[in-house]
Amino acid sequence: MGYANPVKQLLKEAHLHFGEAEVGTLLSLGTGKIENSKPIDTENRMQAMARQVTLDAQRSHEDVYERLKETGIYFRLNESAHMDEGAVSDTIDEVVRSFQVDSHGISLKDINSVAKVEMSFKPRPSLTRNFVGRDDILDKLYEMHFSGERSSQGVSTLMSILTGLGGSGKTQIALKFALEYESRHPAAPVYFLDARSQERLETELETIIRSRGSAYRSRTHQDAIDWIAGQERWLLIFDNADDPSLRLFDYIPNSSGGHVLITSRNDLVRVQAPENSHKVDSLSLGDASHLLLVSSGYTASPDNLTKAKEIARELGCLPLAVAHAAGYITIHRCLDTYLHLYRQRRRELLSRSDPNVVQGREGSVSTTIQLSFERLSTQARYLLQLFSLFHATSISHSIIEKAALRNFAFTPFALQVQDPSEEEHASALMALICPSGAWSEFDFNEMIQQCLQYSLLQIITGDGATKYYTIHVLVQSWLRLDLPQDHLFQRLLIRILACGITADDNYENLIFHRSIIPHIEGAVVALNTTIADSFAFGFVLEEARHSLPAVQYLERALVLCIEALGDTHPDTISAMGRLAASLDSCGEFRAGMELKLRVLQGRKRLFGEEHPDTLRVMSNLARSFDWLGMYEEAVEMDELVLGLRRRVQGDDHPDVLLTLANLAVSLKKVGRLEEAVELEAEVLKIRTQLYGENNVGVLTVMGNLGYSLCEIGKYEDALVLQRRSVELWRGLAGEDHADTLSAIASLAHTLAALKRDEEAMELRSKAFEGFRSIHGIHHPVTLLTKINYTLSLCAMDRMDEAVQSSRSILRTATQMSGSDYAALYEGMENLSQSLANLGEMEVGDDLHQFVIRMRGF
């Protein structure tokens, strides 16, 4: 190159060609150091030139060395017979280490433009400018690290751990804490370490110690740990410590002045400091919507806030996702349409990443999730994809366990025809979840642990230590992107859910079945269910009085049965009967009756008139007559069934007792109250002796008898039974079950008869709200409970509210498609008379005329 030592010229040309690229090692080979720089008298021209060349080379070396001596990247080896072999060996070792270690170098621009380059540790990332929330976690960190008390950990380093899903904001919380730490301790060093792997972490630690100057340029990561431990006060942030194989705690200095903050997707890291670990979940809906609006430059108007909340809710309030959404909205000014756009182009928007727009948050949502997903074993990936089809927040461990203990092959109803796919799906599930051939909680926990390590799943415990798994909605959405609705996993989900259902008539499995319902209602499974699965889902939904979805599944079961078996097959007739019961629950009493008539014809044709299944249908048909106001027909049918059952089954058969209880209900409707009370009292006594009080049949009779006693004026006796009935229903079916609400409404009826109007109104309000939640406002039973509530308003002379409520009732009744529920119109007529008696003639007459039109007289 025409230079005695071209190192400076080489650096300049490198800068021209490579811009601001970093230099990690700069090695210069020389011919030795001249001992005497002055010319001597005896030297000839060639010797003088050699001396000058050597001096030029030495000056270039000294210039570069002076510029780079603090960086630890510059090395000089001289060819000389007088070189110290030990020094040469040490220098060579340092050169080799500099090649091996992936350390941070010095930019060519700095080397060429600065007289002296100072080596320093890399700066930590910046806190996002729109940091929001997290006060609960930060307050705990401040208390832990700034309280001045170390009694719980002696003189050890104070350590806190932040775990959570990628993109949940762990690093941002750590950066926020670092700023607070620096404000309190300005002289204390704060180091931000990349802990994604052992190699990265050791490199970061070596950079810390080597930034001390050239005297430290051969020091190791262990030297850095020891040096940090010797400082009076310091903070280390170990970021992204996700690798389960990393022995992170070998790299933590032990010092009375030390503070450590660890961020990790690996939830299991928390076991190292369980009392000082903090789960970083999504933002609150308020904080997430605020972040979206502030970051995208929209004002927090009520309309904007509503839209922002809808978007944040759809994104699961994950900070990374909200930030990226805000970045997109900032560019395209599309707050109004973003939610629709996201639902249409979910994959593309989750995959977007623009660090120029989304400051301080690198990587797309998809990339963040995929990095964790790819670390799982193949079996764990399949399991997680299967879990993504469940409802995100309530995957009961018991659902998986119960189905696995039944080898995924159980069906709750004995049908004559079985779909061969059920066996295939059971085998696939055994291979995935029970590879050893039988359920093993240990083996299952091993698979689940991988998902927990990267916060792709979380575990929560409910009442009675019931274990649930949850999955973030964005993880769920990402996993579902490549799963079509007819994917095998959809069918496997159906098999798991159906296999866990047990058919019984006494709510013995109601609590467990309720844990299944969110997954039935939340998953798109209706088009993939077999006949047996549809039966099972219809049963469990009807048991909890989720009657509309129950009807949908039972209608599918009926269609499949007719297509495969014809309309006279026993399975088809059974499907009709179950569908009729769910239609009754939906308030479609006439449709239910018509279907029961078809079922009765089928049962008679298959079994004859005196078969127990035929008699059961006849008894159910009597209930339809009752609900439709066909009271005489109901009595006639109940008496016919009673006679047949006594002859065929004997007086002591449980079905005879059931028929007596049904007959008592029908007798009340035709004014034979005393007979009804006598029958109900006898049936209650016998059934309680047989089954105890916690029995659906016993509680039904208990409630009926309480109502009957009220009707004949025995109010105190009625109250005793009704209060007991409410208490027992709450324990058996739960506070919000339709049967419990019916018992509450019956108790309110007696309290109203006793003029205890405040108590009655409170209970009637509870019943109305409960039925509205279950059935909606356009259900005859819901509307009847609102009528009773309005009657309480009348009794308390709150007429403005009563009139307003009455007009609302009339509007709702008009919107309903001609209900045939007789009790509804009887209740409307009672309300009409009460309003008229209290001087509200107009609204009273409107109600009366409506009843006349609907009943046809």
Side-chain angles (χ1 to χ4, degrees):
M1 295 181 63
Y3 296 97
N5 185 346
V7 62
K8 292 164 58 176
Q9 284 68 29
L10 178 66
L11 290 171
K12 290 179 180 179
E13 291 204 12
H15 184 210
L16 290 174
H17 286 285
F18 303 113
E20 297 187 15
E22 291 184 349
V23 177
T25 303
L26 180 59
L27 176 61
S28 174
L29 298 178
T31 58
K33 181 179 179 181
I34 190 169
E35 297 298 334
N36 186 2
S37 60
K38 296 181 179 181
I40 56 177
D41 296 337
T42 59
E43 68 180 5
N44 58 32
R45 185 176 179 183
M46 289 295 296
Q47 288 174 324
M49 185 173 65
R51 179 174 54 77
Q52 188 60 46
V53 167
T54 304
L55 284 174
D56 289 343
Q58 185 170 319
R59 291 191 188 103
S60 294
H61 155 64
E62 290 174 351
D63 185 15
V64 173
Y65 173 73
E66 192 63 30
R67 190 185 307 179
L68 300 178
K69 66 180 181 180
E70 299 295 332
T71 67
I73 69 168
Y74 177 66
F75 304 93
R76 171 82 168 176
L77 290 175
N78 286 310
E79 182 183 353
S80 171
H82 304 290
M83 291 177 67
D84 184 337
E85 292 185 5
V88 171
S89 179
D90 289 343
T91 302
I92 293 175
D93 287 344
E94 291 178 9
V95 172
V96 171
R97 276 198 296 270
S98 75
F99 289 146
Q100 292 174 335
V101 176
D102 181 22
S103 60
H104 297 280
I106 305 300
S107 75
L108 286 164
K109 177 182 177 181
D110 288 342
I111 292 175
N112 284 283
S113 61
V114 180
K116 182 177 181 181
V117 179
E118 299 288 347
M119 182 66 173
S120 62
F121 187 61
K122 67 180 179 67
R124 64 174 181 264
S126 300
L127 179 69
T128 180
R129 61 179 176 270
N130 294 321
F131 182 89
V132 298
R134 307 304 194 187
D135 291 338
D136 54 339
I137 295 177
L138 287 167
D139 287 345
K140 291 175 182 177
L141 292 176
Y142 297 157
E143 181 180 359
M144 168 70 180
H145 291 271
F146 302 144
S147 65
E149 298 179 4
R150 290 178 176 259
S151 57
S152 62
Q153 298 190 33
V155 296
S156 299
T157 299
L158 290 178
M159 178 172 61
S160 293
I161 300 173
L162 303 174
T163 64
L165 179 67
S168 61
K170 304 178 295 295
T171 299
Q172 292 296 311
I173 295 173
L175 294 172
K176 180 71 171 178
F177 175 82
L179 290 176
E180 180 66 23
Y181 183 89
E182 287 178 325
S183 71
R184 299 186 185 217
H185 308 295
V190 176
Y191 296 113
F192 186 92
L193 306 176
D194 184 344
R196 279 176 285 182
S197 68
Q198 178 179 343
E199 292 76 18
R200 286 177 182 268
L201 181 55
E202 290 182 357
T203 298
E204 299 273 75
L205 288 166
E206 288 172 357
T207 303
I208 290 175
I209 191 65
R210 292 176 182 180
S211 68
R212 301 288 301 160
S214 58
Y216 296 86
R217 63 187 183 187
S218 62
R219 299 296 178 89
T220 67
H221 71 273
Q222 187 59 54
D223 295 325
I225 294 171
D226 295 340
W227 177 81
I228 294 170
Q231 305 306 301
E232 180 181 357
R233 191 185 299 276
W234 48 268
L235 168 64
L236 284 183
I237 298 174
F238 293 84
D239 192 44
N240 290 323
D242 307 329
D243 188 350
S245 66
L246 176 62
R247 296 175 59 88
L248 181 63
F249 297 92
D250 292 345
Y251 298 91
I252 296 178
N254 191 15
S255 166
S256 61
H259 299 261
V260 166
L261 200 54
I262 299 168
T263 75
S264 178
R265 303 181 195 192
N266 185 354
D267 198 55
L268 302 183
V269 173
R270 295 194 297 165
V271 302
Q272 303 296 333
E275 295 181 358
N276 301 322
S277 295
H278 309 281
K279 189 69 178 177
V280 181
D281 294 314
S282 296
L283 291 167
S284 68
L285 184 60
D287 285 340
S289 54
H290 175 72
L291 173 62
L292 183 72
L293 291 176
V294 170
S295 299
S296 58
Y298 280 82
T299 61
S301 68
D303 185 51
N304 287 348
L305 192 57
T306 297
K307 292 169 184 173
K309 286 182 177 179
E310 291 174 350
I311 295 169
R313 187 181 291 109
E314 186 85 5
L315 298 173
C317 298
L318 187 73
L320 179 64
V322 173
H324 280 297
Y328 189 90
I329 292 169
T330 298
I331 295 173
H332 300 285
R333 310 312 295 163
C334 56
L335 181 66
D336 291 351
T337 60
Y338 183 84
L339 187 58
H340 174 75
L341 185 63
Y342 172 76
R343 289 169 176 169
Q344 295 295 317
R345 308 301 292 269
R346 191 184 306 262
R347 180 191 302 275
E348 291 89 339
L349 287 172
L350 289 179
S351 300
R352 288 180 66 88
S353 176
D354 188 350
N356 294 320
V357 175
V358 187
Q359 175 258 340
R361 300 182 187 273
E362 297 180 356
S364 69
V365 176
S366 288
T367 301
T368 300
I369 297 171
Q370 187 169 358
L371 286 173
S372 297
F373 183 71
E374 289 177 346
R375 291 178 178 241
L376 304 180
S377 67
T378 300
Q379 193 169 21
R381 290 184 193 180
Y382 287 155
L383 186 63
L384 187 64
Q385 286 179 304
L386 179 59
F387 270 40
S388 75
L389 299 176
F390 285 83
H391 187 278
T393 60
S394 56
I395 308 170
S396 171
H397 177 83
S398 299
I399 294 175
I400 310 297
E401 181 179 31
K402 191 168 187 176
L405 289 171
R406 292 173 167 180
N407 293 331
F408 304 104
F410 178 79
T411 53
F413 296 97
L415 302 177
Q416 295 187 15
V417 178
Q418 183 176 0
D419 192 309
S421 68
E422 293 170 7
E423 185 175 346
E424 296 171 8
H425 299 153
S427 298
L429 284 166
M430 287 296 291
L432 174 61
I433 296 177
C434 305
S436 66
W439 167 253
S440 167
E441 184 168 1
F442 178 83
D443 291 343
F444 184 75
N445 288 343
E446 288 294 297
M447 281 189 286
I448 287 293
Q449 179 170 318
Q450 296 181 49
C451 303
L452 297 175
Q453 282 178 336
Y454 299 103
S455 298
L456 295 169
L457 285 179
Q458 296 183 38
I459 293 180
I460 58 174
T461 54
D463 296 337
T466 304
K467 184 163 64 174
Y468 293 90
Y469 303 103
T470 67
I471 183 170
H472 193 279
V473 292
L474 282 184
V475 176
Q476 182 186 57
S477 295
W478 184 82
L479 289 167
R480 286 182 174 183
L481 286 174
D482 294 317
L483 294 179
Q485 290 187 9
D486 60 348
H487 192 275
L488 173 64
F489 284 168
Q490 274 282 11
R491 301 176 188 275
L492 298 185
L493 169 66
I494 293 168
R495 186 87 291 272
I496 291 173
L497 298 177
C499 189
I501 295 170
T502 304
D504 71 80
D505 295 324
N506 198 46
Y507 300 164
E508 292 178 2
N509 295 279
L510 178 60
I511 294 176
F512 175 75
H513 287 166
R514 279 177 172 155
S515 71
I516 296 176
I517 288 175
H519 310 295
I520 296 174
E521 294 184 334
V524 185
V525 298
L527 298 180
N528 295 319
T529 51
T530 64
I531 294 173
D533 297 332
S534 300
F535 262 85
F537 291 168
F539 165 78
V540 89
L541 289 163
E542 178 55 38
E543 180 186 47
R545 298 300 184 268
H546 291 230
S547 301
L548 282 175
V551 165
Q552 294 171 358
Y553 279 105
L554 292 170
E555 283 178 338
R556 173 170 170 78
L558 180 56
V559 168
L560 292 175
C561 283
I562 292 173
E563 290 176 351
L565 309 170
D567 57 5
T568 61
H569 191 276
D571 289 350
T572 305
I573 301 301
S574 179
M576 287 183 187
R578 292 193 173 277
L579 176 57
S582 287
L583 288 170
D584 288 340
S585 293
C586 287
E588 300 290 339
F589 298 112
R590 188 164 298 279
M593 183 191 72
E594 291 171 354
L595 201 54
K596 289 174 190 176
L597 288 170
R598 291 178 61 187
V599 174
L600 181 58
Q601 292 174 358
R603 292 297 188 202
K604 285 182 177 180
R605 183 170 55 252
L606 289 168
F607 306 121
E609 187 177 51
E610 296 184 352
H611 191 276
D613 288 351
T614 305
L615 296 176
R616 187 176 299 112
V617 177
M618 294 170 66
S619 184
N620 291 338
L621 189 57
R623 303 285 62 73
S624 291
F625 294 158
D626 182 2
W627 293 322
L628 293 170
M630 302 164 62
Y631 301 131
E632 294 293 345
E633 291 87 341
V635 172
E636 182 180 345
M637 182 65 75
D638 280 329
E639 289 179 336
L640 174 60
V641 173
L642 179 61
L644 290 171
R645 277 181 166 164
R646 277 176 166 165
R647 184 171 74 250
V648 174
Q649 298 172 302
D651 288 343
D652 296 330
H653 194 278
D655 287 350
V656 173
L657 292 175
L658 176 62
T659 306
L660 287 170
N662 290 337
L663 176 59
V665 173
S666 297
L667 290 174
K668 278 185 281 189
K669 298 299 178 66
V670 296
R672 295 162 63 179
L673 284 170
E674 294 293 343
E675 294 176 70
V677 169
E678 185 178 342
L679 279 177
E680 286 170 341
E682 183 64 20
V683 171
L684 179 61
K685 177 181 176 181
I686 296 172
R687 294 198 71 146
T688 303
Q689 290 172 349
L690 290 173
Y691 307 114
E693 285 186 322
N694 283 305
N695 175 274
V696 169
V698 170
L699 292 182
T700 300
V701 177
M702 185 183 294
N704 291 342
L705 177 56
Y707 193 92
S708 300
L709 289 171
C710 174
E711 293 299 285
I712 64 173
K714 294 186 176 181
Y715 302 122
E716 295 303 324
D717 292 340
L719 284 178
V720 171
L721 278 178
Q722 289 170 326
R723 291 188 190 282
R724 181 62 175 160
S725 173
V726 170
E727 177 186 354
L728 292 170
W729 273 121
R730 281 172 171 158
L732 185 64
E735 182 74 28
D736 299 323
H737 193 276
D739 290 339
T740 305
L741 296 171
S742 295
I744 289 172
S746 181
L747 173 59
H749 175 74
T750 301
L751 291 169
L754 288 167
K755 306 300 181 184
R756 293 163 62 173
D757 297 314
E758 286 278 2
E759 296 173 78
M761 186 178 70
E762 182 180 352
L763 291 178
R764 283 173 165 172
S765 174
K766 182 176 181 60
F768 166 61
E769 294 298 338
F771 278 117
R772 182 166 63 175
S773 176
I774 294 172
H775 297 309
I777 190 62
H778 295 95
H779 189 285
V781 172
T782 305
L783 197 57
L784 180 58
T785 57
K786 186 171 184 179
I787 289 170
N788 291 332
Y789 171 74
T790 308
L791 286 169
S792 287
L793 291 174
C794 291
M796 298 175 67
D797 200 28
R798 293 165 57 174
M799 296 312 299
D800 288 344
E801 295 171 76
V803 169
Q804 183 179 1
S805 181
S806 298
R807 295 199 181 282
S808 174
I809 289 167
L810 188 57
R811 285 194 300 272
T812 303
T814 303
Q815 295 165 0
M816 293 167 61
S817 56
S819 173
D820 294 307
Y821 188 38
L824 174 64
Y825 300 114
E826 292 166 5
M828 293 181 75
E829 191 62 38
N830 289 336
L831 179 58
S832 170
Q833 293 174 6
S834 294
L835 290 166
N837 293 337
L838 293 167
E840 297 293 342
M841 305 299 295
E842 181 181 353
V843 66
D845 187 60
D846 289 342
L847 285 168
H848 176 65
Q849 293 301 322
F850 178 82
V851 172
I852 291 175
R853 289 196 304 273
M854 296 307 298
R855 303 190 75 172
F857 56 85

